[in-house]
Amino acid sequence: MSLDHSNPSFLPGPPVDRTTWEGFERWCRTRKDFIPAPVLTAEEFALKTRRQQRIHNLHRLATHSSLPIEATPMSERVAHAVRARVEEGAFSHKAGTRGGIMVNGDGAQGKTETVCEAMALFMEEWLHLHNYMNPDAMPGTRDLIMPVAYVRCPVKATPISTCQRILDFYGEDYKRMRLEDLVRTVKIAIIEHATKALVIDDITRLKLHREADQDVLDLIREMMSMPVTLVLVGVGIPTSGLLREGSRDPKTNEWIYPPVKDRGRSPNDHAASQHERRFQVVDLGPFRYGTAKEMAAWITHLRGLEGHMRLLTDTTGLLTDGDMPEYLFRRTGGIVGVLEKLIQRGLRLAIEDKSERLTKELLNQVTVTPGDMPDLDAESGEQPNIPSHKPKPTTKAKGRNTVFDDDGPAQESAG
């Protein structure tokens, strides 16, 4: 396959906005379409023209910037729980309230991608079962169907702005609507689009420290009366006020809640206790590195990443040989989002300095900061706790920052 053409296939298309039904549907349809750069040896790369080498390097950059989400034991458990909860509600013939599920975890753990992938698989199966039509469409109306709705709470969210985000997903007009009108319109949109799962990401941006925030809990309770399964994703859910103050059982590692006392209860206590009965809470945490089983899971994950790296040298063992697994765990704390950023930075550096290898010495020059994850809100506790690291600069290699430049010298080979 020649990459020397005016419109390279790896160039990104229009940005995908999953917070609209058109964007979410397009993401589901195209999420696996990207074709990574071919694996080349240094000798094969050297036979290419300068422009062909540049195009291949850009294709490698796109490949490393689009690393696929590797499933982890933690994400597989969460994905199974989310899909099971949604399927239970979607296939139920009962008219009662659907049980919801809350996905809790720190920032950069892969909560959003895990939930979205699980919902994409559910949506594909549901559409196939119904021949891509709405079985409940009303006569004389368009046959609208969108089995999954995905929205993100805005920063400084309120019940009104949250409802508006949901209506934005469907493209509904909500000008001059009061909260009760917004809730009613949300319910109509969910029914008309045959939505079976409503994912509200960053749910803990809804702050519950004011008396007026009782409206938040009322809103969630009202949504649970709709024919849809709520999937709420957030940071620190058990201690956010959405549920009563929770703690972990040291034996089962599950969240437990103290008995409700009759005296001195606030309206929030009452609503939160209702939510805890109606919601299953699952955690998506980082990798651990204390037992042989945990170490093996971490190394398996690293080995999967090795297969997606496009260097001109053999990538087998670059992340898994020797003490590299321990080093990477120490640098990332087992957080998959931080690991991904570290590897991406290292890969670009390995291409720029022509070493074409990931080593501890090279990665020591790279840092990952909260600023590298601008979509995570610091005030909501979404940014991860990244292990501190002071970069160790080295002498700038000849040719650095030239391998991606059209007019600069071409990279001829790699040792």
Side-chain angles (χ1 to χ4, degrees):
M1 178 178 76
S2 174
L3 294 175
D4 192 8
H5 47 72
S6 58
N7 234 350
S9 60
F10 58 83
L11 288 177
V16 176
D17 181 7
R18 291 188 294 204
T19 62
T20 68
W21 75 265
E22 298 98 331
F24 193 85
E25 187 277 333
R26 184 159 69 88
W27 172 78
C28 289
R29 179 168 35 85
T30 64
R31 69 189 191 281
K32 298 180 180 179
D33 284 357
F34 177 75
I35 300 175
V39 177
L40 296 182
T41 64
E43 292 75 16
E44 292 169 331
F45 182 81
L47 294 175
K48 291 182 174 294
T49 66
R50 185 169 66 176
R51 176 162 178 78
Q52 287 175 331
Q53 290 180 356
R54 173 177 176 263
I55 294 297
H56 181 69
N57 282 334
L58 291 174
H59 197 174
R60 289 200 285 167
L61 172 64
T63 300
H64 298 152
S65 298
S66 308
L67 292 175
I69 302 300
E70 287 281 316
T72 69
M74 301 79 73
S75 68
E76 288 178 338
R77 179 177 57 84
V78 169
H80 178 270
V82 168
R83 191 168 176 185
R85 197 71 156 184
V86 170
E87 289 175 346
E88 288 170 4
F91 288 97
S92 174
H93 291 261
K94 294 183 178 181
T97 299
R98 267 70 174 158
I101 186 167
M102 295 181 175
V103 179
N104 174 67
D106 292 334
Q109 303 287 8
K111 300 185 300 296
T112 294
E113 296 308 318
T114 296
V115 169
C116 284
E117 180 63 24
M119 290 299 89
L121 294 173
F122 164 77
M123 190 168 94
E124 290 167 353
E125 184 175 64
W126 186 263
L127 289 172
H128 180 72
L129 287 172
H130 292 91
N131 295 317
Y132 297 86
M133 299 191 327
N134 183 355
D136 302 318
M138 292 179 289
T141 66
R142 288 186 300 157
D143 188 23
L144 304 173
I145 182 168
M146 191 61 202
V148 176
Y150 172 82
V151 299
R152 297 185 67 185
C153 275
V155 178
K156 309 295 185 184
T158 65
I160 288 178
S161 63
T162 302
C163 282
Q164 290 172 339
R165 285 290 179 94
I166 297 172
L167 294 176
D168 283 338
F169 179 87
Y170 294 111
E172 298 282 347
D173 182 20
Y174 51 76
K175 293 180 180 178
R176 294 181 296 277
M177 283 189 184
R178 300 170 300 173
L179 178 58
E180 51 266 37
D181 298 324
L182 289 167
V183 173
R184 182 170 57 253
T185 307
V186 166
K187 183 175 182 178
I188 292 172
I190 286 173
I191 293 174
E192 288 186 345
H193 288 80
T195 301
K196 300 303 177 184
L198 171 59
V199 180
I200 305 181
D201 205 350
D202 305 320
I203 189 64
T204 41
R205 290 179 178 177
L206 288 165
K207 298 303 181 184
L208 300 175
H209 59 276
R210 303 183 306 268
E211 184 178 353
D213 285 333
Q214 174 64 39
D215 292 340
V216 174
L217 297 176
D218 290 340
L219 170 64
I220 294 174
R221 188 165 59 251
E222 182 68 23
M223 288 181 177
M224 292 193 74
S225 68
M226 302 176 186
V228 67
T229 298
L230 286 183
V231 181
L232 308 183
V233 184
V235 175
I237 286 177
T239 56
S240 67
L242 291 170
L243 302 168
R244 287 179 297 127
E245 191 78 7
S247 60
R248 286 188 186 275
D249 185 309
K251 294 182 178 179
T252 65
N253 205 36
E254 298 294 332
W255 286 100
I256 56 176
Y257 304 92
V260 177
K261 297 180 180 180
D262 292 334
R263 304 178 91 186
R265 295 182 64 206
S266 70
N268 272 13
D269 291 332
H270 178 70
S273 64
Q274 285 187 323
H275 291 161
E276 97 187 26
R277 291 194 300 270
R278 295 175 177 176
F279 279 97
Q280 176 186 2
V281 183
V282 292
D283 278 310
L284 182 53
F287 278 95
R288 305 293 179 187
Y289 206 70
T291 68
K293 184 176 180 180
E294 291 169 343
M295 294 177 186
W298 175 247
I299 292 174
T300 297
H301 185 71
L302 296 177
R303 188 172 294 115
L305 286 175
E306 287 176 347
H308 299 297
M309 301 192 312
R310 293 296 185 266
L311 296 176
L312 301 181
T313 53
D314 186 5
T315 61
T316 304
L318 285 184
L319 305 181
T320 55
D321 284 350
D323 61 351
M324 184 62 90
E326 291 89 341
Y327 170 83
L328 292 172
F329 187 85
R330 188 167 60 251
R331 288 291 310 274
T332 65
I335 302 172
V336 293
V338 177
L339 174 67
E340 179 182 285
K341 290 292 183 183
L342 179 66
I343 296 302
Q344 287 173 347
R345 294 272 175 88
L347 288 170
R348 180 173 183 117
L349 193 57
I351 295 173
E352 288 178 344
D353 70 6
K354 304 181 183 181
S355 66
E356 295 289 336
R357 292 189 64 82
L358 278 186
T359 63
K360 289 185 293 183
E361 291 71 26
L362 182 141
L363 291 173
N364 278 336
Q365 305 172 50
V366 176
T367 58
V368 179
T369 70
D372 297 318
M373 304 171 188
D375 58 330
L376 301 181
D377 179 48
E379 292 187 17
S380 300
E382 295 169 5
Q383 291 183 342
N385 183 20
I386 303 174
S388 61
H389 174 75
K390 186 175 181 180
K392 300 177 182 178
T394 60
T395 303
K396 186 174 180 180
K398 184 179 179 181
R400 175 75 57 81
N401 297 326
T402 62
V403 294
F404 295 107
D405 297 335
D406 192 19
D407 298 326
Q411 176 174 319
E412 296 179 357
S413 62

